[in-house]
Amino acid sequence: MTFVSAGVEIIEALKEAMSSAAGQIMVDASYLIPKDTLTAVQSGRAGSIESTTDSYYVEFGFGYGGGINPKTGKPIEDYIVPLHEILEVHHDPPTQAKFLEEPLLARVATLEVEYSEKIKAHMSATYGD
Amino acid sequence: MTTPLSVDAEIATYLQNKTLPVTLNFSGTAPYNLFASTLPDGPDTAVGILLTGGAAPIMTMTGQAASESTIDRATFQIRVRADTNSYITGNALIQGIYKALQGITETRLNGGSTTLFHLITSMQPPVYLGRGENVDKRQRHVWSQNYMAWIDDPFR
């Protein structure tokens, strides 16, 4: 194992961890998002890992796909942000506003440990204990 | 001993004393246009500060007992509403609040306040929510912005 090859493996482990966390946040968010017509929940996406010259990122959230709310005739992109931000509107439990922000912040508390465990597991599988 | 203020009341008191495009009144003589924990239907041009939970506390290694070494991370939403003819005023107000709050570090916001704000940071720039019926039933302009505050919570 060289320092460079270890670095590459660590990056691969982190990419797996990012993708996993994004998917799990979206599972939690899909549970919380209002489902009056299902247009909002069906607009959810968790993308694949993308890269720039010096970083990796994953894009996830709601408002994709151009769905139209059958009750109002409005496209999802016109109302998904107010749906998330207007706190006073009643939604049938367990659905609620802040359906994405809450699971995201809850996940932040454990991400460091999750990433660390993923790196350990990946390195162990690649190079042995 | 001074009774601690909640985070929303701390922020409201602080903004009331800032020079902003609209003079805000939270705790002076009525009528009020700045509210903590709610945004009532009137007046048209108004600001609400709404607590939205937060993230898990951060445990720090200060050598003290665990209960004394935590930093709470509270989140709150600033909602600005402006009447149907006052888009420019409302936009200037949310931008002014953004400038006033973003990046505050190691500050007791209100003089002898018991709450130390280690950091206030916005989660994103102000977002214009529009003026559709799904935003405000009287179709006024509405903006939203969300912040996280790292604080030493005096209630704990």
Side-chain angles (χ1 to χ4, degrees):
Chain A
M1 174 175 59
T2 66
F3 187 76
V4 172
S5 66
V8 169
E9 294 299 335
I10 288 171
I11 288 171
E12 287 305 310
L14 286 172
K15 286 164 65 178
E16 285 177 23
M18 287 170 63
S19 184
S20 170
Q24 288 169 34
I25 290 167
M26 285 302 290
V27 168
D28 293 344
S30 297
Y31 178 70
L32 295 176
I33 194 169
K35 298 180 183 66
D36 191 27
T37 67
L38 301 182
T39 310
V41 69
Q42 289 168 353
S43 74
R45 296 283 186 279
S48 52
I49 300 291
E50 305 284 347
S51 64
T52 65
T53 52
D54 60 358
S55 66
Y56 290 91
Y57 65 94
V58 57
E59 184 175 296
F60 58 94
F62 296 92
Y64 299 95
I68 304 291
N69 185 309
K71 282 190 176 176
T72 64
K74 289 185 176 173
I76 184 67
E77 60 267 29
D78 281 7
Y79 72 91
I80 191 69
V81 176
L83 186 67
H84 189 264
E85 291 296 301
I86 304 290
L87 307 173
E88 302 90 325
V89 175
H90 171 78
H91 301 291
D92 290 336
T95 66
Q96 61 170 67
K98 294 291 185 189
F99 44 84
L100 182 58
E101 183 180 304
E102 276 196 15
L104 178 64
L105 290 178
R107 199 83 195 182
V108 164
T110 58
L111 272 184
E112 192 175 329
V113 174
E114 285 177 36
Y115 282 16
S116 159
E117 291 299 320
K118 182 68 87 174
I119 291 170
K120 280 187 208 168
H122 193 93
M123 297 298 274
S124 178
T126 305
Y127 298 109
D129 290 329
Chain B
M1 181 181 172
T2 306
T3 302
L5 295 176
S6 57
V7 169
D8 49 356
E10 284 272 5
I11 299 293
T13 304
Y14 178 72
L15 290 178
Q16 175 179 245
N17 295 318
K18 298 296 286 186
T19 301
L20 294 166
V22 174
T23 300
L24 298 177
N25 182 17
F26 170 62
S27 58
T29 304
Y32 304 108
N33 61 356
L34 174 59
F35 304 90
S37 82
T38 184
L39 181 58
D41 195 45
D44 285 342
T45 298
V47 177
I49 301 168
L50 308 164
L51 296 177
T52 54
I58 296 173
M59 303 298 290
T60 56
M61 290 181 279
T62 62
Q64 299 171 311
S67 62
E68 297 171 345
S69 61
T70 57
I71 296 174
D72 279 346
R73 293 182 290 179
T75 54
F76 60 93
Q77 180 187 79
I78 303 272
R79 187 105 52 80
V80 168
R81 184 180 63 217
D83 70 62
T84 53
N85 298 315
S86 298
Y87 172 84
I88 291 174
T89 301
N91 192 57
L93 179 55
I94 189 86
Q95 295 295 343
I97 292 171
Y98 183 24
K99 186 177 178 184
L101 292 179
Q102 165 60 22
I104 285 175
T105 55
E106 302 302 334
T107 301
R108 295 185 192 277
L109 293 183
N110 301 298
S113 167
T114 51
T115 302
L116 174 61
F117 285 78
H118 293 293
L119 175 66
I120 298 177
T121 183
S122 62
M123 297 185 190
Q124 72 284 114
V127 177
Y128 178 56
L129 299 183
R131 46 174 295 201
E133 289 177 357
N134 60 327
V135 174
D136 182 77
K137 61 186 177 185
R138 292 168 56 192
Q139 296 188 284
R140 295 165 290 193
H141 299 285
V142 179
W143 292 259
S144 170
Q145 190 175 26
N146 298 282
Y147 293 85
M148 179 174 280
W150 277 253
I151 59 172
D152 270 351
D153 187 346
F155 288 97
R156 295 205 292 128

